[in-house]
Amino acid sequence: MAGHSKWANIQHRKGRQDAARSKLFSKLSKEITVAAKMGDPDPEKNPRLRMAVKEAKSVSVPKDVIDRAIKKSQGGDAESYDEIRYEGYGPNGVAVIVEAMTDNRNRTASNVRSTFGKSGGNLGETGSVSFMFDRKGEIYYPASVGDADTVMMAAIEAGAEDVESDEEGHWIYCADTDLNEVATALEAELGESETTKLIWKPQTRTPLDLEGVQKLMKLVETLEDDDDVQNVTTNFEASDEVMQAYSES
């Protein structure tokens, strides 16, 4: 399986990082505004906001941008966003979950449907692929925090369910409803994590060759370029050789 961090590095090498930077900042700002509007504007009292702020900081969103997004939620003119999940199949039958936040459902649905169609995929009903994923909390620490055994013990103590470690870092998984509690317990033991978020974790994966990865990534990147789309999750896997070839293509 292509490691999580390896995939981030490949995106970086392909030059998408800079091009997508301002788009990413605006998506994270939107999540912060919505989280603050739905709960308390103080991240210490609002777990969802705390996670959104942490995620923003992990990609170097400036503090004034974060503060502005929180402030925006308290104004009477704060936009109202609906959170919607779209599900479907990409090329080669890869399952795709698209999470969106929109002020215009018709526009977003039309854009997402069209993107799937143009990329050789099919948009399905809600629930058509999410049964193949588990909703989990994911907490990431770099390898420098400790060896696999140290992190595994800390994770068990904190109430986590699973840990995946490699030479680059540690991914700790827990029940979605336990994320705030587990993250707080781990923080006391290992210090602040690099990221803490809710994810869709595939139960099984669909293997792809180089051509398959190229087709799928065209779909994923087009979806991610849509201002209404917050996250795109797939269940593909590919060998290190295929991912290396993709990064150089």
Side-chain angles (χ1 to χ4, degrees), residues 10-20:
I10 283 161
Q11 283 187 305
H12 186 76
R13 280 203 296 273
K14 287 189 76 68
R16 279 186 53 76
Q17 217 70 5
D18 289 340

Side-chain angles (χ1 to χ4, degrees), residues 61-134:
V61 174
K63 186 177 185 302
D64 64 317
V65 173
I66 293 170
D67 292 342
R68 207 161 48 237
I70 293 174
K71 208 168 274 163
K72 190 175 175 186
S73 72
Q74 304 309 297
D77 59 344
E79 296 102 324
S80 187
Y81 294 109
D82 291 327
E83 293 182 84
I84 312 167
R85 187 172 83 233
Y86 300 98
E87 301 179 25
Y89 290 94
N92 300 301
V94 172
V96 182
I97 295 178
V98 181
E99 293 169 284
M101 217 177 258
T102 180
D103 55 2
N104 185 329
R105 282 171 171 261
N106 292 341
R107 175 191 68 221
T108 311
S110 167
N111 289 348
V112 170
R113 187 176 299 282
S114 155
T115 301
F116 267 87
K118 285 176 186 164
S119 304
N122 291 296
L123 192 59
E125 298 293 315
T126 301
S128 60
V129 305
S130 55
F131 69 92
M132 294 190 274
F133 296 77
D134 294 316

Side-chain angles (χ1 to χ4, degrees), residues 30-40 46 48-50 52:
K30 194 194 280 188
E31 167 63 21
I32 288 168
T33 300
V34 168
K37 191 176 180 187
M38 286 170 66
D40 196 289
N46 180 338
R48 178 171 172 176
L49 178 57
R50 187 166 165 247

Side-chain angles (χ1 to χ4, degrees), residues 64-221:
D64 64 317
V65 173
I66 293 170
D67 292 342
R68 207 161 48 237
I70 293 174
K71 208 168 274 163
K72 190 175 175 186
S73 72
Q74 304 309 297
D77 59 344
E79 296 102 324
S80 187
Y81 294 109
D82 291 327
E83 293 182 84
I84 312 167
R85 187 172 83 233
Y86 300 98
E87 301 179 25
Y89 290 94
N92 300 301
V94 172
V96 182
I97 295 178
V98 181
E99 293 169 284
M101 217 177 258
T102 180
D103 55 2
N104 185 329
R105 282 171 171 261
N106 292 341
R107 175 191 68 221
T108 311
S110 167
N111 289 348
V112 170
R113 187 176 299 282
S114 155
T115 301
F116 267 87
K118 285 176 186 164
S119 304
N122 291 296
L123 192 59
E125 298 293 315
T126 301
S128 60
V129 305
S130 55
F131 69 92
M132 294 190 274
F133 296 77
D134 294 316
R135 191 64 165 155
K136 294 289 179 192
E138 180 191 78
I139 302 156
Y140 171 70
Y141 279 94
S144 57
V145 83
D147 62 24
D149 288 345
T150 305
V151 173
M152 176 67 83
M153 288 310 296
I156 291 167
E157 288 287 311
E161 297 176 343
D162 192 19
V163 181
E164 289 175 17
S165 297
D166 65 17
E167 69 278 3
E168 292 181 17
H170 311 277
W171 286 264
I172 299 158
Y173 298 100
C174 63
D176 56 345
T177 49
D178 295 344
L179 180 56
N180 192 49
E181 205 175 293
V182 172
T184 304
L186 280 167
E187 212 165 282
E189 200 62 37
L190 301 173
E192 194 165 340
S193 64
E194 210 157 281
T195 63
T196 299
K197 58 189 174 185
L198 288 168
I199 61 153
W200 293 96
K201 192 167 190 275
Q203 295 164 1
T204 57
R205 291 181 177 272
T206 302
L208 292 182
D209 58 12
L210 178 57
E211 189 187 345
V213 170
Q214 287 169 331
K215 283 182 182 168
L216 178 66
M217 284 310 128
K218 194 174 168 210
L219 167 63
V220 170
E221 289 177 2

